[in-house]
Amino acid sequence: MMIKPLDTGSNNERQATVTEPSSSWGGVWTEEKLNAFEKYVNAYLTIMNKYRDQNDWKLIYFDGFAGSGSRQESAPEEGNQLMLDLINEHHVTTDELSPYKGAAERVLNISKKGFDYYYFIDKDEISSKQLKEKLTPICKGRKLEFRHSDANTEVKKLATALHTNSKLKALVLLDPFGMQVDWESIERLKGTGTDLWILIPTGVIVNRLLDRKCKLTHIEKLTTFFGKDESFLKEYFYNTRQDSTLFGEVEVVEKMGEPIKRITELYIQQMKTIFKYATEQPLVLRNTRNTPIFHFACASNNQSAVKIAHEIINK
């Protein structure tokens, strides 16, 4: 990723108002997630603005799943059999798979001195184009870049830039519909000046892939997502016992209790192998049936960053 000098624009330009559509899309949990993230961005900029000039820092905002900025987006497609399987076999509902992507507007609407560079990534070319058309006219003077690309590819490019130049500091939002984020991509951020917020599809997808009988038909997706091999995942999520029957001993495999909790704990454990700190209790996002479907987590090498995240989550 090439980083070039730029003019951040005047204060008036930085304070340009961006109004979100008023129609509802994605449910109450979506607004809860966006509200928490907006509060964090405000706190992040407040702190970073105190030190950026004296340390010659350049701040990057990176949104890996920026969407089109419209509440009228259609249900997402991952472009593989996984999503079709979930829809057909597990009756995954629209409100679970179609969160409104509104972070871009909120971040750009913050009145404080903003980021030096803004990267909005989306794999869908039409969505990326629509977001660019919407934001560019009202954000003159800022360095906005819109990329029609895979988030994993762009995270790796970002990581390379951060490793090359320690003066670059990044706030990264990875807000996928499903399990598109590979663990290998997260690993690349190790040792960088990155604050990461990530939406973990704990209940909506991962728990469903961890079927009761331990068939794990999508094991490759699970290992890529967690960064753990099949044997570890089977031992972590399942119990094996021997039952006596008329025909002898039979091995019975059962899924452990509280699987969503275990999914969350494992992912947080993994995040702490990359970052020094991570939210022990992420923000729990529930659907209309009060079922946990996502966990929204923060990780950073700065203890104060995660402390602020915890305070926002617990309010």
Side-chain angles (χ1 to χ4, degrees), residues 44-310:
Y44 178 90
L45 288 173
T46 297
I47 294 171
M48 298 300 280
N49 283 341
K50 292 180 180 180
Y51 305 103
R52 66 196 298 178
D53 291 337
Q54 68 188 62
N55 292 298
D56 195 28
W57 289 341
K58 295 297 181 182
L59 306 186
I60 298 173
Y61 175 72
F62 180 99
D63 187 340
F65 299 86
S68 69
S70 169
R71 292 177 187 263
Q72 305 303 318
E73 295 181 74
S74 58
E77 296 180 4
E78 284 202 329
N80 57 38
Q81 193 61 39
L82 172 60
M83 193 60 68
L84 293 176
D85 287 348
L86 288 171
I87 292 172
N88 295 328
E89 298 173 14
H90 303 290
H91 308 290
V92 178
T93 61
T94 301
D95 74 313
E96 294 173 331
L97 290 178
S98 300
Y100 164 51
K101 302 295 184 180
E105 296 96 322
R106 292 188 180 223
V107 170
L108 288 167
N109 194 36
I110 290 174
S111 60
K112 295 178 175 64
K113 180 180 179 181
F115 296 84
D116 295 288
Y117 312 96
Y118 295 82
Y119 288 88
F120 300 106
I121 316 300
D122 202 275
K123 196 171 185 178
D124 183 79
E125 185 174 9
I126 295 176
S127 292
S128 184
K129 182 179 179 181
Q130 289 176 341
L131 187 65
K132 181 177 181 179
E133 291 174 348
K134 180 177 183 179
L135 298 182
T136 300
I138 54 179
C139 294
K140 295 179 180 179
R142 300 201 216 183
K143 179 64 174 180
L144 308 184
E145 182 159 346
F146 302 85
R147 294 185 180 179
H148 160 225
S149 181
D150 177 72
N152 291 293
T153 299
E154 297 302 323
V155 168
K156 291 172 184 176
K157 291 179 182 179
L158 173 66
T160 298
L162 294 172
H163 281 293
T164 301
N165 185 356
S166 62
K167 296 293 185 180
L168 297 177
K169 307 297 178 183
L171 175 55
V172 175
L173 173 64
L174 297 178
D175 185 15
F177 292 115
M179 298 169 67
Q180 295 97 322
V181 180
D182 297 338
W183 187 253
E184 180 186 359
S185 302
I186 304 297
E187 285 183 315
R188 297 288 186 91
L189 295 172
K190 187 171 186 176
T192 65
T194 299
D195 283 16
L196 170 68
W197 277 87
I198 186 167
L199 192 67
I200 312 166
T202 48
V204 66
I205 296 179
V206 181
N207 186 43
R208 288 179 166 102
L209 297 189
L210 295 166
D211 60 278
R212 294 181 180 179
K213 301 297 183 181
C214 194
K215 294 180 180 179
L216 302 183
T217 54
H218 295 286
I219 186 59
E220 290 185 4
K221 192 66 177 175
L222 288 165
T223 57
T224 301
F225 178 77
F226 282 110
K228 291 289 188 179
D229 62 27
E230 181 176 358
S231 61
F232 176 92
L233 294 177
K234 286 183 175 180
E235 184 176 349
Y236 186 86
F237 289 109
Y238 296 91
N239 281 317
T240 302
R241 71 171 194 271
Q242 298 292 324
D243 279 2
S244 298
T245 70
L246 293 174
F247 304 99
E249 295 287 325
V250 175
E251 184 177 86
V252 177
V253 179
E254 292 181 330
K255 191 174 179 179
M256 289 191 182
E258 298 186 282
I260 295 177
K261 180 181 178 182
R262 292 185 68 80
I263 291 166
T264 307
E265 290 176 345
L266 177 56
Y267 205 87
I268 295 300
Q269 288 174 21
Q270 284 292 83
M271 290 177 73
K272 290 172 74 173
T273 67
I274 307 303
F275 299 92
K276 292 180 181 179
Y277 309 97
T279 46
E280 297 291 344
Q281 296 181 332
L283 180 63
V284 183
L285 301 170
R286 302 173 184 271
N287 64 11
T288 53
R289 298 179 299 281
N290 202 36
T291 301
I293 54 176
F294 292 102
H295 283 72
F296 196 35
C298 174
S300 174
N301 290 315
N302 188 313
Q303 187 175 18
S304 296
V306 173
K307 181 181 178 181
I308 291 170
H310 274 131

